[in-house]
Amino acid sequence: AQSVTQLDSQVPVFEEAPVELRCNYSSSVSVYLFWYVQYPNQGLQLLLKYLSGSTLVKGINGFEAEFNKSQTSFHLRKPSVHISDTAEYFCAVSAPSGGYNKLIFGAGTRLAVHP
Amino acid sequence: SQTIHQWPATLVQPVGSPLSLECTVEGTSNPNLYWYRQAAGRGLQLLFYSVGIGQISSEVPQNLSASRPQDRQFILSSKKLLLSDSGFYLCAWSIAGDQPQHFGDGTRLSIL
């Protein structure tokens, strides 16, 4: 069965510092991978997606992620964070289940950017 | 462009009362529709998904039910709410099961 592990529940970082949010997945088949961001009391917003092609994926708000098939990872990075990046970040994998594909979400990583 | 509407934004209900949360999608046809629950400080739990009118799949046994009376309308219901039903409920849609899901703004449900 497919699963997603976000290795850090919380990541504190200072403004303008780089950040990496880690995500590992397990799957016996080819997968599609996604990162979402959730601001307080809001729904989830798609940051970026990997469906095929280049393993380095660029998303909104200056974020990027790299798909590494051998390490089954899809880590999210940003070279310089802002206070406004403080939010919860979710990694997700598309997985077949019962004849349909569904998204399996990680437990989330809370990014706290400090001045 | 496609939009998703979810209401109400917040709801406070007594234990044992009924529930109806509504979600509608505009700008697309025959979307996949999803209901999730997010407990405080937790990840997302898929409750129901639907690939077409009248087709509902339940992910976990619970006190809730879902219906899809129209192509772009998805309703989450309960006959009698429990304290454990408190949480943040999110509706989402996608064009296919392996494609990105797009979320509504959520409903925060508090049970007293």
Side-chain angles (χ1 to χ4, degrees):
Chain A
Q2 287 79 3
S3 66
V4 177
T5 302
Q6 290 184 243
L7 296 156
D8 306 294
S9 60
Q10 296 186 60
V11 174
V13 64
F14 287 109
E15 193 173 18
E16 298 183 6
V19 70
E20 179 180 81
L21 306 183
R22 297 180 294 170
C23 173
N24 285 89
Y25 68 93
S26 66
S27 176
S28 58
V29 299
S30 296
V31 296
Y32 297 157
L33 294 156
F34 309 89
W35 274 99
Y36 286 85
V37 60
Q38 185 181 31
Y39 299 102
N41 295 312
Q42 293 186 25
L44 277 69
Q45 180 182 6
L46 181 67
L47 271 179
L48 48 78
K49 60 188 177 186
Y50 172 77
L51 303 181
S52 65
S54 173
T55 57
L56 183 62
V57 181
K58 293 190 182 297
I60 63 171
N61 301 343
F63 284 93
E64 64 180 31
E66 185 157 18
F67 171 57
N68 188 318
K69 187 174 181 179
S70 62
Q71 297 187 9
T72 60
S73 67
F74 191 54
H75 300 334
L76 181 70
R77 303 185 183 101
K78 186 169 183 178
S80 176
V81 295
H82 303 290
I83 296 289
S84 59
D85 292 323
T86 294
E88 187 96 21
Y89 291 80
F90 292 94
C91 181
V93 60
S94 172
S97 177
Y100 302 102
N101 276 29
K102 294 178 290 189
L103 288 190
I104 307 298
F105 285 88
T109 296
R110 186 170 299 277
L111 176 65
V113 182
H114 302 285
Chain B
S1 63
Q2 301 89 355
T3 56
I4 179 168
H5 303 281
Q6 195 179 337
W7 67 93
T10 59
L11 189 60
V12 181
Q13 292 284 96
V15 169
S17 64
L19 173 74
S20 180
L21 302 181
E22 190 162 342
C23 172
T24 59
V25 179
E26 297 177 357
T28 187
S29 297
N30 197 32
N32 286 6
L33 296 171
Y34 310 85
W35 277 112
Y36 290 89
R37 177 168 56 204
Q38 187 177 29
R42 305 278 295 277
L44 280 79
Q45 179 186 33
L46 179 62
L47 301 176
F48 301 95
Y49 70 93
S50 171
V51 298
I53 295 175
Q55 299 180 58
I56 309 293
S57 295
S58 174
E59 285 295 295
V60 293
Q62 59 208 319
N63 185 41
L64 302 168
S65 62
S67 62
R68 185 170 177 173
Q70 300 181 43
D71 181 44
R72 291 168 289 174
Q73 183 185 28
F74 206 25
I75 297 172
L76 183 69
S77 305
S78 173
K79 293 181 179 179
K80 283 187 176 182
L81 285 167
L82 306 172
L83 282 174
S84 58
D85 291 325
S86 292
F88 192 49
Y89 289 82
L90 291 159
C91 181
W93 73 272
S94 68
I95 59 173
D98 57 0
Q99 295 301 305
Q101 293 180 15
H102 306 279
F103 287 79
D105 289 333
T107 294
R108 185 160 302 283
L109 176 64
S110 300
I111 310 300
L112 304 178

